[in-house]
Amino acid sequence: MTVEKAVLKVYRYNPEKDEKPYYREYEVPVDQAQTLLDALFYIQENLDPSLSFRFFCRAAVCGSCAMKVNGISRLACKTPFKPLVERSKGKPITVEPLNFLAPIKDLVVDHDKPFESLKNLETWLEPKKPVPEKEYRVSPEEVKSYERPTNCILCFACYGSCEAVMDDPKYAGPYAFSRVYRYVLDSRNDEEHKKEMVKRAMEVGDIWGCVQCQKCIYVCPKGVRPAEDIQNVRGIAAEYGFKEYPGVKKLQHFVDWVYATGQINRLALPEEVYGVDPTPLINKFKERGAEVWEVPKPLPGLIEFRDLILEVMKEKKPHLDIDFHHVRKIDKKVEEVFNADVCTKITQHFEEKKEDFFTRFWKKVSQFLGAS
Amino acid sequence: MKKVGFYQGCCFQGPDAHMFDTLKKVFADLDVDIKLIEKTTCCGGNTIDEANKFLVYSINARNIALAEAEGLDLLVTCNTCYMVLAKTKHALDTDPQLREEINKLLAEEGLEYKGTSKLWHILPFLLEEVGLEKLKERVKRPLKGWKIATYYGCHIKYPKEVAVVDSEDPQGLEELIEALGGEPIKDYEGANTCCGYHAFYTNKEVALKKVVRAPEGAKKAGAEMLVTPCPLCFKAQDIYQDMAENKPNVPSVYLPELLAYALGYDAKESGLSYHIIPVEKISVKAGAI
């Protein structure tokens, strides 16, 4: 009986000897390896002792063996070999070092840079004052709130897949912001230090460079969700009052316009975020014959929708409040464009109950304003 | 005639306001009645999540509940809207406590999220509910000789729990392009790179670097244009590509536009004549059926 063999096409590079990287192919019997890491051991022990890769725990705890497998960041120890062979459909399995990290040898990359980022972002606890006589008390709910980011093992699979790292030299990396989030949630941490971490996340780590592609969530072997942690840190930045960042202005746009009209207004974004007049772009579309709506058409049911938003915000306070001054400006604009009172237009489907809606609506607004 | 609820999101505003009417006609040609669920609102664009995740869940539970109230599935034509709606559906379907909390809020409007409506992204909807055979049959203007690089975008690939295509080897767009008579180009350099759309208003520099990667790769691979099932990738590759340095100037088309054009709608109705980076294929062949 012949044993099924798989071909591994492995990246090889020894900067001390090789002028440039090259690939070498190895045949590994499929029954000799439970995981990709086993397959690499097989190569090292039977075919080529010069192959270098990093490993330690063999159980997805230490984070040493992250590498790029068929283009995707993975832990070698957590990648079952047979399914990998099956998915490769007879093509060689490509094994390469993680992207964006300096090569040391073969599959081993230099982790100094991403570790340095953690230091630069000061992702740690500074004890909250006054320091209690005994221990700090932390509730089980609080621990649960940062359980996920705490699971990060710093394998840098996310870093090697990150679209922002690819095009933003300043960008610290997804794992770093998950760690920021984890320490911002910690009640033992000094408030000023939390603020400093968030500020550093923006200024040193360029958290606004994240493109929200969600690849970090996909590749994380521990179920950490960095793209979502990044959203949370951004929200907290807004709450801390860092209003000058374009990203915070964008968020304000979304919150206000969606509350006011049920929609964002893509034509108002350039002005509200960057102070750029959108007219030249609008004109380009008009020149091409497109009909351009300056504001989104008001949606039916808007008053109930506004009610819902206010109710939700009352129950779970948002990181960024609605700017009602802005909302009134939007209302005015909608009224001009559609030549109708915003509420009568919007509530046309509910004409007979108009008074009820108004009363209820203003009650909600005043309740909300009173509460905040 | 199959009937499906339609979620408009923010895609059919500004210069794209005409697109809904076109889609309605195109789907009717494919024996699908798309019923606009009028009260649905913006999904939050994966941005309101920053302010309040619970708000995003509430808004989108409402969006889905509105379709459920009419007994319809919900068709979504944007990758990001799909992802955000699907994340909400996933959260509510797996967390009874969250569902209860949100249903209490929705009750005031007489709505309830039940989890009975399926969310459809346009790509699997076309493949599974319409089918390639019917598409081939209804094509009036085959895209003969059009070399089209397929670009899936990120939010239908990741995260895994909401993906509608194989995250590492997406399929379907190529078959669709072939059904419309065109020549798909896959696996070009940058095909898997993010379009940068969502960074444009947070870090413009990054967005403008990202946006050229896929068009550049497509150009090198001999493509005349890109096609994407996401209106945001499309807007990035049309508007922002035009702003980028050393732009490769490869036009990008939104899948429904291409569909409309192949089904016989003209350059205006399909939207193809409104692009910032002109789709030259149509200017040459305009009007010729």
PDB file of all heavy atoms in Angstrom, chain A residues 74 163 167 206 208 212 215 218 225 228 262 274 288 316 319 360, chain B residues 42 51-52 87 108 155 161 168 192 200 202-203 210 213 275:
ATOM      1  N   ARG A  74      -1.676  31.392  10.335  1.00  0.00           N
ATOM      2  CA  ARG A  74      -2.194  30.319  11.188  1.00  0.00           C
ATOM      3  C   ARG A  74      -1.137  29.896  12.192  1.00  0.00           C
ATOM      4  O   ARG A  74       0.057  30.060  11.945  1.00  0.00           O
ATOM      5  CB  ARG A  74      -2.499  29.064  10.364  1.00  0.00           C
ATOM      6  CG  ARG A  74      -3.603  29.198   9.374  1.00  0.00           C
ATOM      7  CD  ARG A  74      -3.871  27.835   8.750  1.00  0.00           C
ATOM      8  NE  ARG A  74      -4.762  27.932   7.621  1.00  0.00           N
ATOM      9  CZ  ARG A  74      -6.069  28.144   7.706  1.00  0.00           C
ATOM     10  NH1 ARG A  74      -6.633  28.267   8.892  1.00  0.00           N
ATOM     11  NH2 ARG A  74      -6.818  28.242   6.636  1.00  0.00           N
ATOM     12  N   GLU A 163      -4.410  44.664   6.967  1.00  0.00           N
ATOM     13  CA  GLU A 163      -4.428  45.558   5.806  1.00  0.00           C
ATOM     14  C   GLU A 163      -3.895  46.949   6.163  1.00  0.00           C
ATOM     15  O   GLU A 163      -3.364  47.643   5.305  1.00  0.00           O
ATOM     16  CB  GLU A 163      -5.859  45.685   5.281  1.00  0.00           C
ATOM     17  CG  GLU A 163      -6.392  44.396   4.670  1.00  0.00           C
ATOM     18  CD  GLU A 163      -5.941  44.193   3.231  1.00  0.00           C
ATOM     19  OE1 GLU A 163      -5.604  45.191   2.579  1.00  0.00           O
ATOM     20  OE2 GLU A 163      -5.916  43.039   2.777  1.00  0.00           O
ATOM     21  N   ASP A 167      -0.201  49.133   4.752  1.00  0.00           N
ATOM     22  CA  ASP A 167      -0.116  50.443   4.105  1.00  0.00           C
ATOM     23  C   ASP A 167       0.030  51.625   5.056  1.00  0.00           C
ATOM     24  O   ASP A 167      -0.114  52.767   4.641  1.00  0.00           O
ATOM     25  CB  ASP A 167      -1.347  50.642   3.206  1.00  0.00           C
ATOM     26  CG  ASP A 167      -1.197  49.876   1.901  1.00  0.00           C
ATOM     27  OD1 ASP A 167      -0.124  49.975   1.274  1.00  0.00           O
ATOM     28  OD2 ASP A 167      -2.138  49.153   1.512  1.00  0.00           O
ATOM     29  N   ASP A 206      -1.736  54.964  15.679  1.00  0.00           N
ATOM     30  CA  ASP A 206      -2.638  55.281  14.567  1.00  0.00           C
ATOM     31  C   ASP A 206      -3.823  54.334  14.450  1.00  0.00           C
ATOM     32  O   ASP A 206      -4.064  53.732  13.390  1.00  0.00           O
ATOM     33  CB  ASP A 206      -1.887  55.330  13.234  1.00  0.00           C
ATOM     34  CG  ASP A 206      -2.739  56.047  12.186  1.00  0.00           C
ATOM     35  OD1 ASP A 206      -3.649  56.791  12.576  1.00  0.00           O
ATOM     36  OD2 ASP A 206      -2.507  55.836  10.977  1.00  0.00           O
ATOM     37  N   TRP A 208      -6.760  54.995  14.003  1.00  0.00           N
ATOM     38  CA  TRP A 208      -7.696  55.416  12.945  1.00  0.00           C
ATOM     39  C   TRP A 208      -7.284  54.897  11.573  1.00  0.00           C
ATOM     40  O   TRP A 208      -7.994  55.069  10.593  1.00  0.00           O
ATOM     41  CB  TRP A 208      -7.860  56.943  12.930  1.00  0.00           C
ATOM     42  CG  TRP A 208      -8.495  57.465  14.177  1.00  0.00           C
ATOM     43  CD1 TRP A 208      -7.875  58.145  15.180  1.00  0.00           C
ATOM     44  CD2 TRP A 208      -9.868  57.314  14.594  1.00  0.00           C
ATOM     45  NE1 TRP A 208      -8.774  58.429  16.184  1.00  0.00           N
ATOM     46  CE2 TRP A 208      -9.997  57.938  15.855  1.00  0.00           C
ATOM     47  CE3 TRP A 208     -10.997  56.711  14.012  1.00  0.00           C
ATOM     48  CZ2 TRP A 208     -11.216  57.979  16.549  1.00  0.00           C
ATOM     49  CZ3 TRP A 208     -12.199  56.755  14.710  1.00  0.00           C
ATOM     50  CH2 TRP A 208     -12.296  57.388  15.952  1.00  0.00           C
ATOM     51  N   GLN A 212     -11.050  48.195   9.018  1.00  0.00           N
ATOM     52  CA  GLN A 212     -12.207  47.384   9.400  1.00  0.00           C
ATOM     53  C   GLN A 212     -12.505  46.250   8.414  1.00  0.00           C
ATOM     54  O   GLN A 212     -13.659  45.930   8.140  1.00  0.00           O
ATOM     55  CB  GLN A 212     -13.452  48.278   9.577  1.00  0.00           C
ATOM     56  CG  GLN A 212     -13.453  49.040  10.883  1.00  0.00           C
ATOM     57  CD  GLN A 212     -13.555  48.121  12.106  1.00  0.00           C
ATOM     58  OE1 GLN A 212     -14.329  47.180  12.134  1.00  0.00           O
ATOM     59  NE2 GLN A 212     -12.737  48.380  13.104  1.00  0.00           N
ATOM     60  N   LYS A 215     -10.201  40.931   8.881  1.00  0.00           N
ATOM     61  CA  LYS A 215      -9.301  39.786   8.698  1.00  0.00           C
ATOM     62  C   LYS A 215      -8.707  39.330  10.024  1.00  0.00           C
ATOM     63  O   LYS A 215      -8.486  38.147  10.243  1.00  0.00           O
ATOM     64  CB  LYS A 215      -8.158  40.161   7.737  1.00  0.00           C
ATOM     65  CG  LYS A 215      -8.570  40.124   6.286  1.00  0.00           C
ATOM     66  CD  LYS A 215      -7.393  40.365   5.359  1.00  0.00           C
ATOM     67  CE  LYS A 215      -7.865  40.378   3.926  1.00  0.00           C
ATOM     68  NZ  LYS A 215      -6.817  40.726   2.965  1.00  0.00           N
ATOM     69  N   TYR A 218     -10.872  36.962  11.635  1.00  0.00           N
ATOM     70  CA  TYR A 218     -10.865  35.675  10.933  1.00  0.00           C
ATOM     71  C   TYR A 218      -9.649  34.825  11.306  1.00  0.00           C
ATOM     72  O   TYR A 218      -9.766  33.631  11.529  1.00  0.00           O
ATOM     73  CB  TYR A 218     -10.906  35.904   9.416  1.00  0.00           C
ATOM     74  CG  TYR A 218     -10.932  34.597   8.651  1.00  0.00           C
ATOM     75  CD1 TYR A 218     -12.112  33.849   8.574  1.00  0.00           C
ATOM     76  CD2 TYR A 218      -9.786  34.085   8.048  1.00  0.00           C
ATOM     77  CE1 TYR A 218     -12.147  32.635   7.909  1.00  0.00           C
ATOM     78  CE2 TYR A 218      -9.812  32.873   7.379  1.00  0.00           C
ATOM     79  CZ  TYR A 218     -10.994  32.152   7.310  1.00  0.00           C
ATOM     80  OH  TYR A 218     -11.028  30.949   6.660  1.00  0.00           O
ATOM     81  N   ARG A 225     -11.331  39.418  19.026  1.00  0.00           N
ATOM     82  CA  ARG A 225     -11.960  40.150  17.927  1.00  0.00           C
ATOM     83  C   ARG A 225     -11.386  41.571  17.850  1.00  0.00           C
ATOM     84  O   ARG A 225     -12.063  42.550  18.190  1.00  0.00           O
ATOM     85  CB  ARG A 225     -13.478  40.147  18.100  1.00  0.00           C
ATOM     86  CG  ARG A 225     -14.060  38.716  18.101  1.00  0.00           C
ATOM     87  CD  ARG A 225     -15.536  38.662  18.359  1.00  0.00           C
ATOM     88  NE  ARG A 225     -16.358  39.090  17.234  1.00  0.00           N
ATOM     89  CZ  ARG A 225     -16.728  38.287  16.231  1.00  0.00           C
ATOM     90  NH1 ARG A 225     -16.340  37.033  16.201  1.00  0.00           N
ATOM     91  NH2 ARG A 225     -17.475  38.757  15.257  1.00  0.00           N
ATOM     92  N   GLU A 228     -13.261  44.638  16.405  1.00  0.00           N
ATOM     93  CA  GLU A 228     -14.347  45.151  17.253  1.00  0.00           C
ATOM     94  C   GLU A 228     -13.792  45.868  18.493  1.00  0.00           C
ATOM     95  O   GLU A 228     -14.354  46.861  18.945  1.00  0.00           O
ATOM     96  CB  GLU A 228     -15.302  44.011  17.631  1.00  0.00           C
ATOM     97  CG  GLU A 228     -16.069  43.528  16.405  1.00  0.00           C
ATOM     98  CD  GLU A 228     -16.930  42.293  16.646  1.00  0.00           C
ATOM     99  OE1 GLU A 228     -16.977  41.802  17.789  1.00  0.00           O
ATOM    100  OE2 GLU A 228     -17.539  41.820  15.668  1.00  0.00           O
ATOM    101  N   GLY A 262     -32.591  58.720   9.481  1.00  0.00           N
ATOM    102  CA  GLY A 262     -32.587  57.264   9.281  1.00  0.00           C
ATOM    103  C   GLY A 262     -31.497  56.843   8.323  1.00  0.00           C
ATOM    104  O   GLY A 262     -31.326  55.662   8.034  1.00  0.00           O
ATOM    105  N   TYR A 274     -13.786  66.685   6.757  1.00  0.00           N
ATOM    106  CA  TYR A 274     -12.543  67.334   6.321  1.00  0.00           C
ATOM    107  C   TYR A 274     -12.710  68.813   5.967  1.00  0.00           C
ATOM    108  O   TYR A 274     -11.753  69.463   5.548  1.00  0.00           O
ATOM    109  CB  TYR A 274     -11.977  66.596   5.099  1.00  0.00           C
ATOM    110  CG  TYR A 274     -11.435  65.211   5.438  1.00  0.00           C
ATOM    111  CD1 TYR A 274     -11.893  64.076   4.756  1.00  0.00           C
ATOM    112  CD2 TYR A 274     -10.468  65.033   6.421  1.00  0.00           C
ATOM    113  CE1 TYR A 274     -11.396  62.811   5.054  1.00  0.00           C
ATOM    114  CE2 TYR A 274      -9.972  63.775   6.726  1.00  0.00           C
ATOM    115  CZ  TYR A 274     -10.436  62.670   6.042  1.00  0.00           C
ATOM    116  OH  TYR A 274      -9.939  61.424   6.339  1.00  0.00           O
ATOM    117  N   ARG A 288     -22.213  64.041 -15.806  1.00  0.00           N
ATOM    118  CA  ARG A 288     -22.416  62.739 -16.443  1.00  0.00           C
ATOM    119  C   ARG A 288     -23.896  62.394 -16.584  1.00  0.00           C
ATOM    120  O   ARG A 288     -24.248  61.300 -16.996  1.00  0.00           O
ATOM    121  CB  ARG A 288     -21.680  61.648 -15.641  1.00  0.00           C
ATOM    122  CG  ARG A 288     -20.171  61.705 -15.820  1.00  0.00           C
ATOM    123  CD  ARG A 288     -19.456  61.051 -14.653  1.00  0.00           C
ATOM    124  NE  ARG A 288     -18.021  60.953 -14.884  1.00  0.00           N
ATOM    125  CZ  ARG A 288     -17.162  61.960 -14.737  1.00  0.00           C
ATOM    126  NH1 ARG A 288     -17.601  63.170 -14.432  1.00  0.00           N
ATOM    127  NH2 ARG A 288     -15.868  61.764 -14.948  1.00  0.00           N
ATOM    128  N   LYS A 316     -28.556  52.175  27.433  1.00  0.00           N
ATOM    129  CA  LYS A 316     -27.105  51.938  27.343  1.00  0.00           C
ATOM    130  C   LYS A 316     -26.444  53.199  26.803  1.00  0.00           C
ATOM    131  O   LYS A 316     -26.491  53.478  25.602  1.00  0.00           O
ATOM    132  CB  LYS A 316     -26.816  50.750  26.386  1.00  0.00           C
ATOM    133  CG  LYS A 316     -27.498  49.464  26.790  1.00  0.00           C
ATOM    134  CD  LYS A 316     -26.512  48.337  27.030  1.00  0.00           C
ATOM    135  CE  LYS A 316     -27.093  47.287  27.948  1.00  0.00           C
ATOM    136  NZ  LYS A 316     -27.614  46.100  27.413  1.00  0.00           N
ATOM    137  N   HIS A 319     -20.964  56.013  23.729  1.00  0.00           N
ATOM    138  CA  HIS A 319     -19.707  56.748  23.909  1.00  0.00           C
ATOM    139  C   HIS A 319     -19.818  58.163  23.354  1.00  0.00           C
ATOM    140  O   HIS A 319     -19.090  59.052  23.752  1.00  0.00           O
ATOM    141  CB  HIS A 319     -18.566  56.014  23.203  1.00  0.00           C
ATOM    142  CG  HIS A 319     -18.216  54.711  23.848  1.00  0.00           C
ATOM    143  ND1 HIS A 319     -17.931  54.605  25.189  1.00  0.00           N
ATOM    144  CD2 HIS A 319     -18.110  53.460  23.340  1.00  0.00           C
ATOM    145  CE1 HIS A 319     -17.664  53.345  25.480  1.00  0.00           C
ATOM    146  NE2 HIS A 319     -17.771  52.629  24.381  1.00  0.00           N
ATOM    147  N   ARG A 360     -45.212  62.745  22.152  1.00  0.00           N
ATOM    148  CA  ARG A 360     -44.348  61.669  22.628  1.00  0.00           C
ATOM    149  C   ARG A 360     -42.875  61.971  22.317  1.00  0.00           C
ATOM    150  O   ARG A 360     -41.997  61.807  23.138  1.00  0.00           O
ATOM    151  CB  ARG A 360     -44.760  60.362  21.931  1.00  0.00           C
ATOM    152  CG  ARG A 360     -44.500  59.135  22.737  1.00  0.00           C
ATOM    153  CD  ARG A 360     -45.552  58.070  22.445  1.00  0.00           C
ATOM    154  NE  ARG A 360     -45.695  57.788  21.017  1.00  0.00           N
ATOM    155  CZ  ARG A 360     -44.969  56.869  20.380  1.00  0.00           C
ATOM    156  NH1 ARG A 360     -44.069  56.170  21.009  1.00  0.00           N
ATOM    157  NH2 ARG A 360     -45.161  56.646  19.099  1.00  0.00           N
TER     158      ARG A 360
ATOM    159  N   CYS B  42     -30.527  53.011   7.798  1.00  0.00           N
ATOM    160  CA  CYS B  42     -29.085  52.730   7.730  1.00  0.00           C
ATOM    161  C   CYS B  42     -28.703  51.704   8.804  1.00  0.00           C
ATOM    162  O   CYS B  42     -29.184  51.758   9.932  1.00  0.00           O
ATOM    163  CB  CYS B  42     -28.320  54.034   7.971  1.00  0.00           C
ATOM    164  SG  CYS B  42     -26.546  53.845   8.212  1.00  0.00           S
ATOM    165  N   ALA B  51     -19.912  53.885  18.735  1.00  0.00           N
ATOM    166  CA  ALA B  51     -20.621  54.642  19.764  1.00  0.00           C
ATOM    167  C   ALA B  51     -21.359  53.720  20.717  1.00  0.00           C
ATOM    168  O   ALA B  51     -21.390  53.953  21.922  1.00  0.00           O
ATOM    169  CB  ALA B  51     -21.602  55.624  19.138  1.00  0.00           C
ATOM    170  N   ASN B  52     -21.960  52.675  20.160  1.00  0.00           N
ATOM    171  CA  ASN B  52     -22.818  51.836  20.982  1.00  0.00           C
ATOM    172  C   ASN B  52     -23.246  50.599  20.200  1.00  0.00           C
ATOM    173  O   ASN B  52     -24.087  50.671  19.323  1.00  0.00           O
ATOM    174  CB  ASN B  52     -24.054  52.666  21.395  1.00  0.00           C
ATOM    175  CG  ASN B  52     -24.928  51.967  22.413  1.00  0.00           C
ATOM    176  OD1 ASN B  52     -24.888  50.749  22.539  1.00  0.00           O
ATOM    177  ND2 ASN B  52     -25.713  52.747  23.119  1.00  0.00           N
ATOM    178  N   LYS B  87     -24.303  40.158  11.641  1.00  0.00           N
ATOM    179  CA  LYS B  87     -23.732  40.101  12.997  1.00  0.00           C
ATOM    180  C   LYS B  87     -24.849  40.265  14.023  1.00  0.00           C
ATOM    181  O   LYS B  87     -24.856  39.612  15.065  1.00  0.00           O
ATOM    182  CB  LYS B  87     -22.689  41.210  13.192  1.00  0.00           C
ATOM    183  CG  LYS B  87     -21.293  40.859  12.707  1.00  0.00           C
ATOM    184  CD  LYS B  87     -20.299  41.941  13.154  1.00  0.00           C
ATOM    185  CE  LYS B  87     -18.884  41.652  12.688  1.00  0.00           C
ATOM    186  NZ  LYS B  87     -17.913  42.678  13.144  1.00  0.00           N
ATOM    187  N   GLU B 108     -42.716  48.690  21.369  1.00  0.00           N
ATOM    188  CA  GLU B 108     -43.416  49.977  21.306  1.00  0.00           C
ATOM    189  C   GLU B 108     -43.912  50.275  19.888  1.00  0.00           C
ATOM    190  O   GLU B 108     -44.943  50.905  19.689  1.00  0.00           O
ATOM    191  CB  GLU B 108     -42.493  51.105  21.782  1.00  0.00           C
ATOM    192  CG  GLU B 108     -43.231  52.420  21.848  1.00  0.00           C
ATOM    193  CD  GLU B 108     -42.592  53.409  22.807  1.00  0.00           C
ATOM    194  OE1 GLU B 108     -41.604  53.060  23.483  1.00  0.00           O
ATOM    195  OE2 GLU B 108     -43.078  54.538  22.873  1.00  0.00           O
ATOM    196  N   HIS B 155     -16.306  42.073   3.541  1.00  0.00           N
ATOM    197  CA  HIS B 155     -17.348  41.783   4.530  1.00  0.00           C
ATOM    198  C   HIS B 155     -18.278  40.632   4.153  1.00  0.00           C
ATOM    199  O   HIS B 155     -19.184  40.312   4.902  1.00  0.00           O
ATOM    200  CB  HIS B 155     -18.133  43.059   4.864  1.00  0.00           C
ATOM    201  CG  HIS B 155     -17.286  44.070   5.584  1.00  0.00           C
ATOM    202  ND1 HIS B 155     -17.633  45.382   5.720  1.00  0.00           N
ATOM    203  CD2 HIS B 155     -16.082  43.932   6.223  1.00  0.00           C
ATOM    204  CE1 HIS B 155     -16.690  46.029   6.407  1.00  0.00           C
ATOM    205  NE2 HIS B 155     -15.734  45.163   6.699  1.00  0.00           N
ATOM    206  N   GLU B 161     -18.311  33.694  10.960  1.00  0.00           N
ATOM    207  CA  GLU B 161     -19.689  33.320  11.329  1.00  0.00           C
ATOM    208  C   GLU B 161     -20.732  34.007  10.457  1.00  0.00           C
ATOM    209  O   GLU B 161     -21.895  33.602  10.462  1.00  0.00           O
ATOM    210  CB  GLU B 161     -19.947  33.577  12.823  1.00  0.00           C
ATOM    211  CG  GLU B 161     -20.032  35.036  13.259  1.00  0.00           C
ATOM    212  CD  GLU B 161     -18.671  35.638  13.608  1.00  0.00           C
ATOM    213  OE1 GLU B 161     -17.633  35.017  13.294  1.00  0.00           O
ATOM    214  OE2 GLU B 161     -18.654  36.728  14.202  1.00  0.00           O
ATOM    215  N   GLU B 168     -11.462  31.790   2.168  1.00  0.00           N
ATOM    216  CA  GLU B 168     -10.117  31.678   1.609  1.00  0.00           C
ATOM    217  C   GLU B 168     -10.128  31.389   0.113  1.00  0.00           C
ATOM    218  O   GLU B 168      -9.106  31.506  -0.550  1.00  0.00           O
ATOM    219  CB  GLU B 168      -9.342  30.592   2.364  1.00  0.00           C
ATOM    220  CG  GLU B 168      -9.129  31.008   3.812  1.00  0.00           C
ATOM    221  CD  GLU B 168      -8.504  29.913   4.658  1.00  0.00           C
ATOM    222  OE1 GLU B 168      -7.746  29.102   4.113  1.00  0.00           O
ATOM    223  OE2 GLU B 168      -8.795  29.875   5.870  1.00  0.00           O
ATOM    224  N   ASN B 192      -7.305  40.070  -3.064  1.00  0.00           N
ATOM    225  CA  ASN B 192      -7.755  39.821  -1.698  1.00  0.00           C
ATOM    226  C   ASN B 192      -7.487  41.020  -0.779  1.00  0.00           C
ATOM    227  O   ASN B 192      -7.643  40.945   0.420  1.00  0.00           O
ATOM    228  CB  ASN B 192      -7.021  38.572  -1.180  1.00  0.00           C
ATOM    229  CG  ASN B 192      -7.673  38.015   0.057  1.00  0.00           C
ATOM    230  OD1 ASN B 192      -8.877  38.126   0.229  1.00  0.00           O
ATOM    231  ND2 ASN B 192      -6.863  37.439   0.927  1.00  0.00           N
ATOM    232  N   PHE B 200     -11.470  55.944   4.606  1.00  0.00           N
ATOM    233  CA  PHE B 200     -11.371  57.240   3.936  1.00  0.00           C
ATOM    234  C   PHE B 200     -11.647  58.402   4.882  1.00  0.00           C
ATOM    235  O   PHE B 200     -10.972  59.427   4.833  1.00  0.00           O
ATOM    236  CB  PHE B 200     -12.320  57.313   2.728  1.00  0.00           C
ATOM    237  CG  PHE B 200     -12.094  58.542   1.888  1.00  0.00           C
ATOM    238  CD1 PHE B 200     -11.045  58.592   0.984  1.00  0.00           C
ATOM    239  CD2 PHE B 200     -12.898  59.669   2.035  1.00  0.00           C
ATOM    240  CE1 PHE B 200     -10.809  59.735   0.221  1.00  0.00           C
ATOM    241  CE2 PHE B 200     -12.667  60.813   1.286  1.00  0.00           C
ATOM    242  CZ  PHE B 200     -11.620  60.837   0.370  1.00  0.00           C
ATOM    243  N   THR B 202     -11.399  58.173   8.201  1.00  0.00           N
ATOM    244  CA  THR B 202     -10.673  58.057   9.473  1.00  0.00           C
ATOM    245  C   THR B 202      -9.183  58.309   9.243  1.00  0.00           C
ATOM    246  O   THR B 202      -8.526  58.948  10.042  1.00  0.00           O
ATOM    247  CB  THR B 202     -10.866  56.674  10.135  1.00  0.00           C
ATOM    248  OG1 THR B 202     -10.362  55.664   9.275  1.00  0.00           O
ATOM    249  CG2 THR B 202     -12.333  56.400  10.421  1.00  0.00           C
ATOM    250  N   ASN B 203      -8.662  57.825   8.118  1.00  0.00           N
ATOM    251  CA  ASN B 203      -7.280  58.095   7.737  1.00  0.00           C
ATOM    252  C   ASN B 203      -7.193  58.020   6.213  1.00  0.00           C
ATOM    253  O   ASN B 203      -7.030  56.953   5.635  1.00  0.00           O
ATOM    254  CB  ASN B 203      -6.331  57.081   8.379  1.00  0.00           C
ATOM    255  CG  ASN B 203      -4.873  57.388   8.096  1.00  0.00           C
ATOM    256  OD1 ASN B 203      -4.544  57.952   7.043  1.00  0.00           O
ATOM    257  ND2 ASN B 203      -3.995  57.020   9.007  1.00  0.00           N
ATOM    258  N   LYS B 210      -4.591  52.020  -0.145  1.00  0.00           N
ATOM    259  CA  LYS B 210      -5.265  50.726  -0.284  1.00  0.00           C
ATOM    260  C   LYS B 210      -6.026  50.633  -1.605  1.00  0.00           C
ATOM    261  O   LYS B 210      -6.031  49.602  -2.258  1.00  0.00           O
ATOM    262  CB  LYS B 210      -6.256  50.487   0.863  1.00  0.00           C
ATOM    263  CG  LYS B 210      -5.632  50.336   2.214  1.00  0.00           C
ATOM    264  CD  LYS B 210      -5.931  49.006   2.862  1.00  0.00           C
ATOM    265  CE  LYS B 210      -5.284  47.843   2.242  1.00  0.00           C
ATOM    266  NZ  LYS B 210      -3.900  47.603   2.576  1.00  0.00           N
ATOM    267  N   ARG B 213      -4.548  49.137  -4.924  1.00  0.00           N
ATOM    268  CA  ARG B 213      -3.889  47.819  -4.993  1.00  0.00           C
ATOM    269  C   ARG B 213      -4.622  46.831  -5.910  1.00  0.00           C
ATOM    270  O   ARG B 213      -3.997  46.206  -6.763  1.00  0.00           O
ATOM    271  CB  ARG B 213      -3.704  47.243  -3.601  1.00  0.00           C
ATOM    272  CG  ARG B 213      -2.605  47.954  -2.820  1.00  0.00           C
ATOM    273  CD  ARG B 213      -2.307  47.246  -1.519  1.00  0.00           C
ATOM    274  NE  ARG B 213      -1.201  47.858  -0.822  1.00  0.00           N
ATOM    275  CZ  ARG B 213       0.075  47.501  -0.974  1.00  0.00           C
ATOM    276  NH1 ARG B 213       0.394  46.534  -1.807  1.00  0.00           N
ATOM    277  NH2 ARG B 213       1.021  48.113  -0.295  1.00  0.00           N
ATOM    278  N   HIS B 275     -20.071  56.882 -13.991  1.00  0.00           N
ATOM    279  CA  HIS B 275     -18.850  56.658 -13.216  1.00  0.00           C
ATOM    280  C   HIS B 275     -17.848  57.797 -13.357  1.00  0.00           C
ATOM    281  O   HIS B 275     -17.759  58.423 -14.404  1.00  0.00           O
ATOM    282  CB  HIS B 275     -18.187  55.352 -13.673  1.00  0.00           C
ATOM    283  CG  HIS B 275     -18.956  54.138 -13.288  1.00  0.00           C
ATOM    284  ND1 HIS B 275     -18.363  52.915 -13.112  1.00  0.00           N
ATOM    285  CD2 HIS B 275     -20.269  53.944 -13.041  1.00  0.00           C
ATOM    286  CE1 HIS B 275     -19.285  52.035 -12.779  1.00  0.00           C
ATOM    287  NE2 HIS B 275     -20.452  52.632 -12.736  1.00  0.00           N
TER     288      HIS B 275
END
